């Protein structure tokens, strides 16, 4: 597939290439698709992109993606306001929401501490979380940062900062993915899942 | 498309694309190697936790054409150093060790002694040895193994071996300066007591297990730590992430300035920060 390097179609393909996971071939395929699509479909896509940029922002309380000052979760009166689940990025929040396994509020750190790269607490939204806890009403903070060096460092730091305020701080469990054969699990996951066993 | 199977220590592991990782390994056979681990971030990844930083692994990879990045195909964990993740102090010290090896070693330049020193250092940290002391010893030994040994036997400027009483350490010159040459260092040198000089010399000469029995407290610890920090910054041309990264912003580096009056604030790790998981 070849596309002339100049012109409107090439410009569109170059814009698609900037998206994550999109290479040259896919970009050209998408550009051709847009060209062949009905006008109203293509313009709807353009409008959706414009609306996202114009109206989507971050929740002032939890830093989730929001269309108003507060996100839908923070506005929802049915949510358990005594529990806050801490994640690194909004994408993790949406994965947990998809699971429907948590009914409390969230706090997005927008990053994680990194001893390897020297990322300190002032570069993530840890202070804002401490402020939320200080304001009262929260009894448990569940740290759901990734099980990486960065995520672990963040979890330890948050534990040290939040526990003096009298809240219960817990960490999500490590373990064997559902449906997986235990014999294929790696040593670290196995060790952690045995350490984190629960009584039946 | 040569296939390699070798022991390695994971220095860094960064997200790449949708679900991949770019991993920097220090391998026993090839030295520092960078590679792509496809799908490493997926839940059902065959790599599991095998590519987490600090891990001692047996890795299989192949080279693809002229690409500088190798393709990692299999990882078996020998020692995950899992306990390092339970303490911020141990984690920070381990991060310093892998950062120093990553910064000082050249790509594909194998160094058995670098590998074993790093491995011993990580093991010591996991065994709850003093993180600051362990990192100082490992850094001094790695500097020696990579050809950047700080000069402590004679003056780094005039080569005079007999005039080092009450010497000062100059990072720019690469070692100790005698009293005569110190005057020409334009205030860029750090104080260095005879005890600190002896510590650096012993840490360099002794094999690692014996070196870990060295003690450095108070003034000696502060002097050696400041000198090594300034020297490493001079060698690699940039500041490595601070070991006290939690307080990095409130303690900006002050090395390389006139240092007679340097307050030498106590390192937070000296207070033996104990962090519960």
């Amino acid at each position: 597939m070849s596309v002339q390097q100049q012109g409107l179609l090439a410009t569109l393909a170059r814009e698609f290439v900037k998206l994550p996971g999109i290479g040259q071939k896919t970009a050209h395929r998408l550009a051709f698709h847009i060209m062949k699509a009905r006008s109203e479909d293509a313009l709807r896509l353009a409008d959706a992109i414009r609306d996202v940029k114009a109206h989507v922002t971050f929740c002032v309380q939890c830093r989730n993606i929001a269309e108003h000052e507060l996100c839908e979760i923070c506005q929802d009166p049915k949510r358990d306001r005594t529990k806050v689940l801490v994640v690194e990025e909004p994408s993790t929040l949406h994965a947990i929401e998809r699971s429907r396994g948590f009914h409390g509020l969230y706090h997005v750190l927008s990053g994680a501490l990194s001893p390897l790269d020297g990322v300190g607490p002032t570069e993530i939204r840890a202070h804002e979380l401490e402020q939320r806890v200080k304001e009262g009403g929260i009894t448990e903070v569940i740290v759901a940062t990734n099980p990486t060096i960065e995520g672990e460092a963040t979890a330890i730091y948050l534990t040290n900062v939040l526990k003096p305020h009298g809240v219960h701080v817990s960490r999500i469990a490590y373990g064997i993915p559902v449906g997986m054969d235990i014999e294929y699990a790696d040593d670290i996951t196995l060790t952690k899942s045995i350490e984190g066993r629960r009584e039946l | 498309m040569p296939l390699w199977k070798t022991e390695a220590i994971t220095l860094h592991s960064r997200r790449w694309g949708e679900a991949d990782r770019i991993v920097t390994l220090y391998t026993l056979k090839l030295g520092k190697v960078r590679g792509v681990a496809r799908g490493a971030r997926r839940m059902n990844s065959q790599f599991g936790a095998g590519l987490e930083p600090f891990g001692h692994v047996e890795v299989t990879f192949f080279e693809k054409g002229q690409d500088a990045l190798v393709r990692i195909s299999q990882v078996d964990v020998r020692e995950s150093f899992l306990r390092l993740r339970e303490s911020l102090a141990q984690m920070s010290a381990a991060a310093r060790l892998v950062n120093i090896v990553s910064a000082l070693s050249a790509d594909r330049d194998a160094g058995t002694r670098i590998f074993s020193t790093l491995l011993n250092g990580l093991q010591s940290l996991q065994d709850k040895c003093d993180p600051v002391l362990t990192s100082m010893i490992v850094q001094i030994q790695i500097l020696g193994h990579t050809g950047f040994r700080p000069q402590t036997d004679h003056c780094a400027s005039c080569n005079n071996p007999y005039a080092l009483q009450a010497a000062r350490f100059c990072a720019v010159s690469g070692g100790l300066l005698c009293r005569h040459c110190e005057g020409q260092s334009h205030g860029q040198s750090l104080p260095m007591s005879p005890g600190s000089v002896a510590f650096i010399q012993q840490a360099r000469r002794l094999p690692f297990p014996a070196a870990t029995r060295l003690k450095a407290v108070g003034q000696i610890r502060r002097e050696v730590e400041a000198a090594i920090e300034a020297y490493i910054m001079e060698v690699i041309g940039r500041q490595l992430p601070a070991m006290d990264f939690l307080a990095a912003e409130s303690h900006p580096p002050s090395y390389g300035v006139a240092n007679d009056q340097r307050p030498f604030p106590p390192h937070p790790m000296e207070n033996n920060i104990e962090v519960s998981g």
Side-chain angles (χ1 to χ4, degrees):
Chain A
M1 187 185 293
S2 66
V3 174
Q4 59 188 41
Q5 295 303 306
Q6 303 295 323
L8 298 175
L9 203 60
T11 304
L12 182 58
R14 276 198 295 274
E15 292 304 315
F16 280 131
V17 165
K18 294 174 186 171
L19 300 176
I22 304 286
Q24 289 283 349
K25 284 184 182 174
T26 310
H28 288 154
R29 201 159 52 239
L30 290 172
F32 275 116
H33 177 81
I34 296 289
M35 187 189 74
K36 289 177 187 171
R38 292 186 304 166
S39 285
E40 54 266 38
D41 289 341
L43 292 176
R44 203 178 301 124
L45 173 64
D47 287 342
I49 293 172
R50 191 178 297 115
D51 287 347
V52 162
K53 292 310 294 176
H55 303 299
V56 173
T57 178
F58 293 102
C59 173
V60 293
Q61 181 168 275
C62 72
R63 205 65 183 170
N64 181 21
I65 292 163
E67 292 178 25
H68 307 284
E69 193 172 329
L70 290 176
C71 68
E72 287 180 5
I73 296 170
C74 288
Q75 287 183 44
D76 187 350
K78 292 178 186 165
R79 289 275 173 168
D80 180 354
R81 294 181 177 272
T82 63
K83 292 185 175 63
V84 171
L85 191 138
V86 182
V87 294
E88 291 178 21
E89 301 293 343
S91 54
T92 313
L93 184 156
H94 286 277
I96 293 169
E97 275 297 286
R98 219 169 40 232
S99 75
R100 298 177 192 168
F102 180 69
H103 306 289
L105 300 180
Y106 291 89
H107 187 88
V108 181
L109 293 171
S110 306
L113 301 182
S114 175
L116 284 157
D117 299 318
V119 177
T122 55
E123 293 171 66
I124 63 173
R125 291 174 49 84
H127 178 67
E128 287 81 351
L129 176 62
E130 190 182 4
Q131 283 301 118
R132 283 181 73 179
V133 170
K134 274 183 185 173
E135 284 165 13
I138 295 170
T139 57
E140 182 176 5
V141 175
I142 304 163
V143 184
T145 50
N146 290 322
T148 57
I149 295 291
E150 292 80 7
E152 298 295 353
T154 309
I156 295 172
Y157 174 77
L158 290 179
T159 305
N160 292 345
V161 167
L162 299 178
K163 273 204 167 168
H165 296 295
V167 290
H168 180 64
V169 183
S170 58
R171 181 90 168 100
I172 54 163
Y174 304 85
I176 312 291
V178 174
M180 183 185 177
D181 276 9
I182 291 175
E183 66 176 302
Y184 295 119
D186 64 272
D187 296 352
I188 298 178
T189 306
L190 270 176
T191 306
K192 284 286 189 182
S193 58
I194 292 168
E195 284 175 357
R197 68 189 182 279
R198 63 187 175 86
E199 193 176 337
L200 296 173
Chain B
M1 194 184 288
L3 187 72
W4 291 91
K5 185 170 185 178
T6 176
E7 278 182 62
I9 296 167
T10 308
L11 305 180
H12 293 282
S13 181
R14 300 193 187 289
R15 294 175 180 190
W16 180 253
E18 291 286 304
D20 307 333
R21 281 192 177 277
I22 288 190
V23 185
T24 307
L25 301 160
Y26 195 85
T27 66
L28 192 57
K29 290 182 182 171
L30 272 180
K32 191 169 73 178
V33 170
R34 289 188 178 86
V36 180
R38 296 277 182 209
R41 282 157 52 208
R42 293 192 196 283
M43 183 74 84
N44 58 353
S45 162
Q46 57 170 326
F47 301 114
L51 293 172
E52 278 293 288
F54 316 144
H56 177 207
V57 295
E58 179 105 10
V59 63
T60 306
F61 59 84
F62 59 90
E63 298 178 61
K64 197 169 180 184
Q66 298 298 311
D67 198 340
L69 294 172
V70 300
R71 302 295 190 272
I72 298 169
S73 57
Q74 189 179 337
V75 176
D76 294 311
V77 178
R78 286 197 166 196
E79 172 58 77
S80 59
F81 294 115
L82 200 58
R83 303 290 161 226
L84 287 177
R85 294 163 165 241
E86 295 172 1
S87 155
L88 281 179
Q90 311 297 114
M91 218 187 291
S92 302
R96 169 49 71 101
L97 302 196
V98 297
N99 276 335
I100 196 83
V101 169
S102 183
L104 289 178
S105 59
D107 284 357
R108 305 200 179 215
D109 183 13
T112 312
R113 287 186 300 173
I114 297 173
F115 185 90
S116 60
T117 303
L118 177 59
L119 190 58
N120 285 330
L122 292 170
Q123 187 62 57
S124 288
L125 290 173
Q126 174 152 274
D127 295 340
K128 304 288 182 197
C129 290
D130 181 338
V132 176
L133 188 66
T134 304
S135 94
M136 283 198 300
I137 292 166
V138 172
Q139 288 180 90
I140 291 167
Q141 294 204 345
I142 296 284
L143 281 167
H145 299 332
T146 50
F148 294 106
R149 177 171 66 89
Q151 184 54 261
T152 55
D153 299 325
H154 51 75
C155 174
S157 180
C158 70
N159 277 335
N160 187 344
Y162 305 112
L164 290 175
Q165 290 84 2
R168 294 181 67 90
F169 186 92
C170 179
V172 178
S173 302
L176 295 180
L177 294 182
C178 64
R179 188 174 288 278
H180 172 71
C181 294
E182 192 276 325
Q184 299 161 15
S185 70
H186 307 293
Q188 298 268 316
S189 60
L190 298 162
M192 184 66 71
S193 62
S196 300
V197 175
F199 178 88
I200 293 176
Q201 290 173 336
Q202 293 297 318
R204 198 184 71 216
R205 288 175 186 148
L206 290 172
F208 189 82
T212 56
R213 291 199 288 272
L214 292 171
K215 298 287 178 212
V217 292
Q219 183 189 2
I220 292 178
R221 176 179 289 224
R222 292 192 293 273
E223 286 180 352
V224 173
E225 199 188 345
I228 295 301
E229 190 77 28
Y231 183 56
I232 285 172
M233 192 170 152
E234 185 65 32
V235 168
I236 66 175
R238 64 185 162 87
Q239 178 86 40
L240 284 178
M243 268 187 62
D244 55 338
F245 73 102
L246 293 179
E249 290 204 347
S250 57
H251 293 98
S254 58
Y255 309 120
V257 296
N259 269 295
D260 264 342
Q261 286 79 41
R262 185 171 182 248
F264 287 118
H267 195 294
M269 299 305 169
E270 282 178 40
N271 299 331
N272 193 23
I273 296 173
E274 194 47 54
V275 186
S276 59

